[in-house]
Each structure stands twice: as C-alpha cells, then as structure tokens.
Amino acid sequence: MKCLLFFLLFSLFAANAQEHKTEINGVVKDAKGKPVAFVNVGVMGKGFGGMSDETGKFCLFVPDSLLDDQLTISHIAYKKYSSRLRELAGSPVTVVLEDSLLVLPEVSISPMKGKWISNKGIRVPGGVMATDSIGSLGEEIGISVKLDKDGLLEQIRLPIFRCGYDSVLVRINLYHLSDEMNPELLPVQPIYQTIRKMEKKEKVLFTYDTPPLIPAGNIRVGFEIVRVYGKGKLFFPLYSTSSLHRSVSLDTYKKAPFGIKASVYVRQ
C-alpha cells in the first residue's frame, strides 16, 4: 500500500520571502546569572519563533513587518518576559527571567492502582505523520486523555515509526484542556528525552523522577522539539484522531483530523 505521508508544514512568510529581516540576538539568564536553556522565544501567534540553546543564547532574523510586535520569552519555571522587537534590535541583549513559583498540590502516597491510559484513534494503514523537515524548534504535537480523578503521572510512552535525525531532544509539556484550542500549561517541571536515529519502530519511554499530581479532566500531553542534530525528520504512526499541532515556538495551535497515539501511566 502506498505510504500516506501527512506533513504538517506551516510558514507564514513563504509568500513574502524577500522581505528584509533584522537580527535579534542575545542570552537568557536567571536571577543568579545562570543561562536558561530551551526557552521559547518568539512572537505570540504569528508563526515565528525559536528557542534558546544549551547556553541560553538565541538568534532570530525577524521580518521588518513584525518589529512593532512584542518578543515573548517563556518557560514554565519563570515569569513570562516581553519587549518590543524594535527596541531589541542592534546589539546583543541580556534577558533576565524572574523565578515563577511552581505550586504543586501536596499528595499523600498510599497504595494506588496504576494503569495505562491512551488517547482514542484508529490506525491508518501505512500512514505516517512527520515533523517539519526544517526541524522547527518549538514544534509540538500531542495527545489528549481524560482522567476521571486526580492521579500521579509516572510514565509516558510514545511510539516512534522512524527517526531520521542523528538525534532530537524532546520535551514533555502538560496542559489542562478547559478550552480545547487554548491549552493551559500545568505547573509541572518538564522532562526531556533524547531520541536517536532509528530505522525501525520503537517505543520511547519518558519517566518522572518525582511523579506529579495531575488533576482530573481533559489533559494534553505535548511532545515539543527543543533541539535537533543532523538533518531528517521524526516519523510517527498515523491515527485518525483529532489533535492539536503547533508549528513553531509560541505559535497558535491548529486542529487536525489526524494525529499520533501515546499512553500515560497513572496511579489513581
């Protein structure tokens, strides 16, 4: 059967590729002067953004039409920063982020039954979903699951069809879905996993050292690309299930009739 490739490629500026661009670069640090890695950097909802590297440095080439917009710098562990792009042009900037207190509910550990919960969906025979070939930092796909009561999230299992990159670093973000198109980020420290080049199907396991307490309701598990090494794509088995996709950092989510399937292990 002919392989069905479902490419999620979004580019706001493709039709205006010749527009002059201004370089905005700098470093993101915390209040103690320590570089903050993998911070989302971009213009909210405009399909334009990137991410700081391991040393906190970032560099964006901003179309002049966006210079009067706000640059937003965001990380779950810090307060959001924003500043007018035009004011940041020129010399490198240093952005200092203030700590954001993550208030997590207290839990009483008692015997709890654990179970795997998966999102619903029917496998599309031969179907494959692929990430952007450019490797857009901040690109995020995900699943939605419903918890009937609060629970401790221990592990997340993600099936991979193939990884063409030398390696790709993926971050797990957790959201509450009171409004399907505007997921609310939960105050949970993200976890990271490196996925290395693979030519066959494999299930990647994400494990929390300290399982967070997740509230009952509709929960989104987002798989966000924060760093890629080498050229290629990340391929997933394709399912007929409604999903949300974000193409780059801080972009708006778009709804698609196809998506991936993953599972979470929760003790309730």
Side-chain angles (χ1 to χ4, degrees):
M1 180 179 291
K2 185 178 179 180
C3 189
L4 171 65
L5 293 180
F6 186 69
F7 295 101
L8 295 174
L9 302 175
F10 300 95
S11 179
L12 181 63
F13 308 107
N16 196 16
Q18 301 303 315
E19 182 178 0
H20 181 266
K21 296 180 180 180
T22 297
E23 181 178 352
I24 307 289
N25 68 85
V27 62
V28 183
K29 296 183 178 182
D30 63 16
K32 297 180 179 179
K34 181 180 178 181
V36 183
F38 310 130
V39 176
N40 294 102
V41 182
V43 180
M44 293 289 291
K46 294 294 182 71
F48 180 82
M51 194 164 290
S52 65
D53 63 15
E54 294 88 341
T55 65
K57 295 180 180 178
F58 67 91
C59 182
L60 300 174
F61 289 90
V62 183
D64 285 359
S65 60
L66 291 180
L67 287 178
D68 288 322
D69 284 86
Q70 297 285 314
L71 177 72
T72 297
I73 297 179
S74 177
H75 188 285
I76 183 60
Y78 302 91
K79 293 181 180 179
K80 189 176 294 183
Y81 167 94
S82 63
S83 182
R84 189 163 172 255
L85 279 160
R86 192 178 299 277
E87 297 172 357
L88 301 176
S91 57
V93 297
T94 298
V95 176
V96 179
L97 298 181
E98 298 180 46
D99 290 343
S100 177
L101 183 62
L102 296 181
V103 180
L104 299 177
E106 294 183 3
V107 297
S108 175
I109 303 300
S110 58
M112 305 171 74
K113 293 184 179 180
K115 61 180 178 180
W116 285 101
I117 303 174
S118 302
N119 61 314
K120 297 180 180 180
I122 300 175
R123 180 77 168 93
V124 178
V128 176
M129 172 181 280
T131 59
D132 191 333
S133 60
I134 301 174
S136 296
L137 300 183
E139 180 177 6
E140 184 184 282
I141 60 174
I143 65 165
S144 298
V145 295
K146 186 175 183 178
L147 302 184
D148 55 4
K149 57 182 178 179
D150 298 350
L152 292 174
L153 175 59
E154 292 189 351
Q155 293 181 315
I156 299 168
R157 188 169 58 199
L158 175 64
I160 302 293
F161 186 81
R162 186 171 73 251
C163 179
Y165 297 112
D166 293 335
S167 67
V168 54
L169 185 63
V170 176
R171 174 166 65 198
I172 295 291
N173 299 315
L174 300 176
Y175 306 83
H176 183 250
L177 287 175
S178 56
D179 179 347
E180 184 181 15
M181 296 305 295
N182 295 287
E184 180 183 352
L185 197 59
L186 291 174
V188 174
Q189 286 287 3
I191 57 174
Y192 299 81
Q193 180 81 337
T194 297
I195 300 173
R196 303 194 183 281
K197 184 185 288 289
M198 62 178 76
E199 297 298 330
K200 59 182 181 179
K201 296 179 182 178
E202 186 174 320
K203 293 180 179 178
V204 177
L205 200 63
F206 298 79
T207 302
Y208 285 91
D209 293 332
T210 303
L213 180 64
I214 305 301
N218 293 316
I219 303 299
R220 171 179 166 82
V221 180
F223 302 93
E224 182 182 22
I225 295 177
V226 299
R227 185 63 58 208
V228 296
Y229 301 92
K231 296 181 179 180
K233 295 180 183 179
L234 195 57
F235 296 88
F236 306 89
L238 183 67
Y239 286 81
S240 59
T241 178
S242 178
S243 67
L244 298 180
H245 173 262
R246 185 182 71 197
S247 57
V248 296
S249 282
L250 304 174
D251 196 12
T252 53
Y253 287 97
K254 296 177 176 63
K255 193 171 184 178
F258 295 94
I260 65 172
K261 197 165 189 178
S263 306
V264 297
Y265 188 79
V266 182
R267 289 193 180 276
Q268 297 175 307

